[in-house]
Amino acid sequence: MGETIRRVNGYDNNAYTYYPVLIVGAGASGIAMACRLKDELGFDQFRIFDRQAGIGGTWWINRYPGVACDVPSAFYSFSFAQNPNWTSFHPPGREIVQYYHHVCQKYQITDKIQCDTDVEQCRWLEDEQLWEVTLRRLVAGMGDLGAKDRMKVVKEKGEAAVYSDTELVRAKAVISCVGGLVEPKGWPDDATGFEDFKGPLFHSARWDDTVDFTDKNVVVVGTGCSSAQLVPRLINAPYNAKSVVQLMRSPPWVVPSFPPPGGDEWWEKNSVRLMRIPGLLSALRFSIFAGGEWDFRLFGGSEWAAKHRKLYEERMLGRMKKMVPKKYHEILTPNYGVGCKRRIFDKRWFESLSDPKIELTAQPLKTVKEHSVIIGPGVSYPEDSKSNLPEREVPADVIVLANGFDTTKWLHPLKVAGKGGKDLVETMEERGGPQAYQGTAMDGFPNFFIIFGPNTATGHSSVVMASENTVNYSLKFIKLLLNGDATAVDVKHEAEVAYTAEIQRSLKNTVWMNGGCSSWYYTKDGWNSTVYPYTQIDFYRRCVFPKWNDWNVAYTKQGLAKKQTKRVIRLVTVALLIVGSYHVRKRGLRVRDVKAMLQHGVQEVLAQAIQLLTVAKGQISSA
């Protein structure tokens, strides 16, 4: 491949750096794309830009107590870089970051990653058939802030406090590997007074390691996956909080964490030795994948799915009632179908609710004061509760927001302007909501690919697998650009619209839309931009066998010649098979007779093929 990173126009005012491939984000998806570019295409002329200070994406930035993966490590890893050395079946965040660093080292892409650099905007240049990309260098530490907090610093201290430099570069292909769990949610809309609070207040995704929790009263807002991991840790060393009051709006479905063979203790002692036995790690990985695919039965809209969902719910409620104090049974009984919201795969939370230092309450947060919060009166769940719990004041030295992320704002805060200057996010909204063909591409935005984009996640499998699928899918088109076979590729408008309509239609008959809950999977308007309504097996199939007729490909002369050659070879192969099988059946020929006949036939057909290609080449040259 002749494409290289280079400087263009010397020291002229319009000089710029050209990148054949520019990747936005150094999390799991960005790392996977970089590794596959090298491994699959033998191509290393790319650059990854990430606004955070380190490599690892969501695992770099999430450092709250107990942060760990709820998907078994054997499956939460790249298929091309399986790791037998995990110390835990569900590895902590620190170990996942170390794994990513090891993968970058193995594939020699660490020097291709530039941190503390915000990709602010991408603009398609129609005449040049290139993307113009605005890069903004960040002052140390600013990239680890959320977009809202960075804007707050700009407002208070000026742009120089956040940004040190701006550069315009160009790229043939831009690949967005911006994650979904990027921008933390702000303060709850229905609560007031946060600005009056005198103690530390921060989001779980921006954990403040300088805070001393010893003998402090802590209020945690939220009962999602993050809070279920961090709450049990706060009352124990090294944090030693005096009390933790956890505020819940509605209960999650809580299911047991996938158990390792032999139990946690046995697994941690023996897994490294066992996983080095050839084939065993792959077998474990496949069994976890198969078990997850079986779980997909819970999400459908059929009577059969509803029956199995009901049985599963009964088992989970029985488990809850055995593990938590009776006073929590009502507020921990969900009034919606399992799977409607993301399940919590629990190891410690239910068990911790028996500790007197921890209180779970469904009383709503009303007001934040200097050293306390006001909750109540009544409860936010169950919604039809006749609870007459009075308003009360809860002491608070520290407030932790574990209320999730802005998941419906795709690519935020990255701005993308395609053909005619059309904004990508605005185009999505005009069509109903966040969307992309195969979760990967939008018409009118050539050579722009989204990895792990809208409607590619599932509640039963590994996001790493979904990300790898979209990486491998995108490479089929990126290869054409890098080989010089095409100048631009983008999906056809009618294909994108039809695909999105199919996805949204199929989602309406699933528990994600009919489960009776309100979740971060979809907007208030009922647009689900998160979930893929089928199995990961189906998504894999779609990625392996792309529908080329759904794409506009601007072939070069070289690309047209290659395309014509492949077409002729296919025709020749089919013709030989048909002729050969006919003569075998007709004459009852022996093997050596068939070989001689095919050899003669190949010579004749190849002569005709050469004639066809000569004609095709002449047509292409005159085009």
Side-chain angles (χ1 to χ4, degrees):
M1 297 181 181
E3 290 282 354
T4 60
I5 298 173
R6 60 183 184 271
R7 284 291 294 176
V8 180
N9 294 335
Y11 51 66
D12 293 349
N13 291 334
N14 61 346
Y16 62 88
T17 302
Y18 169 76
Y19 297 102
V21 176
L22 189 150
I23 301 170
V24 187
S29 296
I31 293 169
M33 174 56 76
C35 292
R36 296 300 289 158
L37 278 168
K38 289 196 73 172
D39 200 35
E40 181 72 16
L41 303 186
F43 187 77
D44 67 355
Q45 296 298 291
F46 56 81
R47 183 76 81 238
I48 306 174
F49 295 99
D50 196 298
R51 66 175 172 82
Q52 294 181 168
I55 300 168
T58 190
W59 293 103
W60 166 265
I61 201 64
N62 279 272
R63 304 181 188 184
Y64 59 81
V67 59
C69 185
D70 56 16
V71 175
S73 53
F75 195 27
Y76 199 86
S77 51
F78 300 124
S79 63
F80 56 83
Q82 295 185 45
N83 178 25
N85 300 314
W86 294 110
T87 61
S88 170
F89 200 63
H90 297 92
R94 177 183 292 272
E95 190 171 355
I96 294 174
V97 169
Q98 290 172 341
Y99 164 72
Y100 288 152
H101 288 182
H102 172 74
V103 172
C104 291
Q105 179 183 349
K106 177 182 176 182
Y107 283 84
Q108 298 181 358
I109 63 168
T110 305
D111 63 331
K112 301 292 183 181
I113 301 171
Q114 185 171 313
C115 296
D116 291 313
T117 304
D118 186 24
V119 180
E120 184 177 72
Q121 177 176 295
C122 304
R123 185 170 66 93
W124 177 249
L125 305 176
E126 185 65 31
D127 292 341
E128 290 88 348
Q129 297 284 281
L130 296 173
W131 285 98
E132 183 181 71
V133 181
T134 305
L135 305 176
R136 304 201 74 183
R137 312 279 190 267
L138 289 153
V139 173
M142 290 295 108
D144 286 351
L145 298 179
K148 290 185 286 288
D149 289 332
R150 287 202 306 278
M151 291 304 99
K152 183 178 178 182
V153 174
V154 168
K155 186 176 180 180
E156 293 175 353
K157 300 180 180 180
E159 285 212 347
V162 176
Y163 301 104
S164 62
D165 186 27
T166 299
E167 180 185 5
L168 293 180
V169 301
R170 294 186 183 182
K172 176 164 284 189
V174 173
I175 304 164
S176 170
C177 296
V178 177
L181 305 182
V182 175
E183 289 301 316
K185 277 188 178 178
W187 300 338
D189 294 334
D190 48 3
T192 60
F194 282 93
E195 63 278 2
D196 297 328
F197 189 63
K198 297 299 184 183
L201 188 159
F202 50 89
H203 197 278
S204 61
R206 298 297 185 274
W207 193 263
D208 189 345
D209 284 320
T210 66
V211 174
D212 181 9
F213 285 84
T214 304
D215 292 327
K216 298 294 197 308
N217 296 304
V218 184
V219 172
V220 176
V221 181
T223 49
C225 297
S226 299
S227 63
Q229 291 181 335
L230 73 89
V231 164
R233 308 276 181 160
L234 292 179
I235 58 172
N236 298 310
Y239 302 99
N240 301 312
K242 180 180 180 180
S243 70
V244 177
V245 176
Q246 188 175 10
L247 307 183
M248 180 179 73
R249 189 185 297 270
S250 64
W253 276 102
V254 181
V255 304
S257 182
F258 196 103
D264 287 315
E265 187 175 342
W266 184 89
W267 182 258
E268 289 172 12
K269 286 182 180 179
N270 299 285
S271 64
V272 174
R273 185 176 69 256
L274 286 172
M275 290 301 99
R276 288 177 180 169
I277 297 174
L280 196 56
L281 178 56
S282 294
L284 175 63
R285 181 183 175 91
F286 179 79
S287 68
I288 297 168
F289 161 74
E293 291 300 282
W294 173 242
D295 256 6
F296 189 78
R297 75 193 190 283
L298 301 173
F299 306 139
S302 67
E303 290 184 9
W304 187 87
K307 175 185 174 183
H308 280 269
R309 194 158 55 241
K310 188 68 175 175
L311 293 172
Y312 186 82
E313 290 169 359
E314 289 173 357
R315 290 204 312 274
M316 294 306 103
L317 288 177
R319 174 179 179 272
M320 179 270 289
K321 291 176 180 178
K322 288 180 182 178
M323 295 186 69
V324 307
K326 188 175 181 179
K327 62 182 178 179
Y328 295 138
H329 288 185
E330 183 183 29
I331 63 172
L332 282 175
T333 301
N335 61 355
Y336 57 89
V338 65
C340 184
K341 292 183 181 181
R342 196 182 192 288
R343 293 169 290 174
I344 290 179
F345 293 88
D346 180 42
K347 278 182 175 285
R348 296 179 177 85
W349 185 47
F350 267 4
E351 186 180 319
S352 74
L353 293 179
S354 297
D355 194 297
K357 291 184 179 180
I358 295 177
E359 178 190 354
L360 176 68
T361 178
Q363 287 193 273
L365 175 65
K366 293 295 184 182
T367 308
V368 178
K369 302 179 75 174
E370 291 185 356
H371 302 287
S372 62
V373 298
I374 306 297
I375 60 175
V379 295
S380 58
Y381 186 89
E383 293 178 358
D384 59 353
S385 173
K386 298 179 181 178
S387 168
N388 58 356
L389 288 173
E391 178 181 283
R392 63 185 174 118
E393 187 169 358
V394 175
D397 301 306
V398 182
I399 297 177
V400 178
L401 297 178
N403 57 340
F405 300 84
D406 290 331
T407 55
T408 57
K409 295 181 179 180
W410 286 91
L411 303 180
H412 182 74
L414 174 64
K415 297 177 181 178
V416 182
K419 287 183 177 180
K422 293 194 68 174
D423 182 83
L424 179 56
V425 173
E426 289 178 4
T427 300
M428 290 179 175
E429 294 299 331
E430 288 169 4
R431 298 183 190 178
Q435 59 190 278
Y437 178 87
Q438 196 74 10
T440 306
M442 281 288 287
D443 56 284
F445 297 84
N447 303 359
F448 186 88
F449 303 91
I450 307 170
I451 305 303
F452 198 57
N455 300 109
T456 52
T458 52
H460 69 286
S461 192
S462 169
V463 298
V464 175
M465 180 179 180
S467 177
E468 274 196 65
N469 282 335
T470 49
V471 165
N472 294 331
Y473 180 76
S474 300
L475 284 176
K476 300 178 190 301
F477 303 96
I478 294 169
K479 183 179 181 180
L480 295 174
L481 301 172
L482 299 182
N483 280 342
D485 295 334
T487 56
V489 294
D490 76 326
V491 69
K492 294 177 181 176
H493 172 76
E494 59 271 21
E496 195 286 322
V497 171
Y499 178 87
T500 297
E502 177 208 338
I503 293 296
Q504 295 299 319
R505 183 170 57 250
S506 298
L507 281 167
K508 292 187 184 301
N509 195 35
T510 65
V511 70
W512 296 303
M513 300 301 291
N514 293 323
C517 73
S518 173
S519 83
W520 55 266
Y521 287 161
Y522 59 89
T523 66
K524 293 178 181 179
D525 298 328
W527 186 272
N528 189 322
S529 63
T530 306
V531 184
Y532 184 70
Y534 313 116
T535 65
Q536 269 298 314
I537 294 175
D538 182 78
F539 191 65
Y540 171 81
R541 173 191 63 81
R542 292 191 191 220
C543 290
V544 169
F545 303 107
K547 295 181 179 179
W548 288 96
N549 288 336
D550 285 352
W551 285 78
N552 297 309
V553 180
Y555 285 103
T556 61
K557 291 181 179 181
Q558 170 185 299
L560 284 172
K562 287 183 179 180
K563 183 181 178 183
Q564 190 71 26
T565 301
K566 289 179 181 178
R567 183 178 299 170
V568 170
I569 290 173
R570 283 198 298 268
L571 290 173
V572 168
T573 303
V574 171
L576 287 173
L577 288 173
I578 293 173
V579 171
S581 62
Y582 171 78
H583 283 292
V584 168
R585 292 181 61 188
K586 188 77 173 177
R587 302 180 187 177
L589 298 176
R590 291 173 298 177
V591 173
R592 66 183 182 186
D593 296 327
V594 173
K595 284 183 177 178
M597 181 193 68
L598 286 176
Q599 186 176 11
H600 177 71
V602 166
Q603 290 172 350
E604 286 191 0
V605 174
L606 282 177
Q608 294 176 9
I610 290 169
Q611 267 189 324
L612 283 171
L613 287 174
T614 303
V615 172
K617 187 176 180 181
Q619 291 173 344
I620 292 167
S621 298
S622 62

